[in-house]
Amino acid sequence: GWKEHIIGFLRLLGPLAFPGETSELVETQFEALDHLMPAAYAECPLGVLVLYIARTLLCLLLEDISCYLRHSTWVSNELFKTPLTVVMGTEWPIFA
């Protein structure tokens, strides 16, 4: 499912054979993505949206409610301002 894809993607970004727990991997790698977010968003806003949707779901799985609330607010605002025709016409798995 989506979780294995996102965790696999994060492991690719990290050092080989990342020794830490999944929660540490998620926290570390998404912190790195936070620094790249303005440039990434300028390049592909829907790609960043999909990553942040996954981040929000991972916050839930890790039972980190402050993380969930922080990122779900951003995702919600971003979905609200994105035209429906863009969301419906994209191949990004926004509602998968």
Side-chain angles (χ1 to χ4, degrees):
W2 68 269
K3 185 175 136 186
E4 291 76 25
H5 290 291
I6 296 299
I7 296 296
F9 171 73
L10 293 176
R11 288 196 184 281
L12 285 174
L13 294 176
L16 293 177
F18 187 84
E21 295 292 319
T22 299
S23 59
E24 184 183 344
L25 172 70
V26 168
E27 184 177 317
T28 302
Q29 293 310 109
F30 272 118
E31 280 180 16
L33 288 173
D34 284 341
H35 297 294
L36 300 172
M37 191 205 187
Y41 188 86
E43 185 70 29
C44 186
L46 291 178
V48 172
L49 177 59
V50 169
L51 278 175
Y52 272 74
I53 289 170
R55 182 181 199 173
T56 302
L57 293 172
L58 288 168
C59 291
L60 260 181
L61 289 173
L62 297 172
E63 299 178 357
D64 185 342
I65 198 67
S66 65
C67 174
Y68 172 78
L69 291 173
R70 183 171 60 253
H71 299 298
S72 65
T73 300
W74 185 90
V75 167
S76 183
N77 289 333
E78 196 63 25
L79 282 172
F80 180 76
K81 75 179 191 178
T82 304
L84 185 58
T85 53
V86 172
V87 173
M88 291 174 64
T90 185
E91 292 189 24
W92 281 103
I94 293 175
F95 293 108

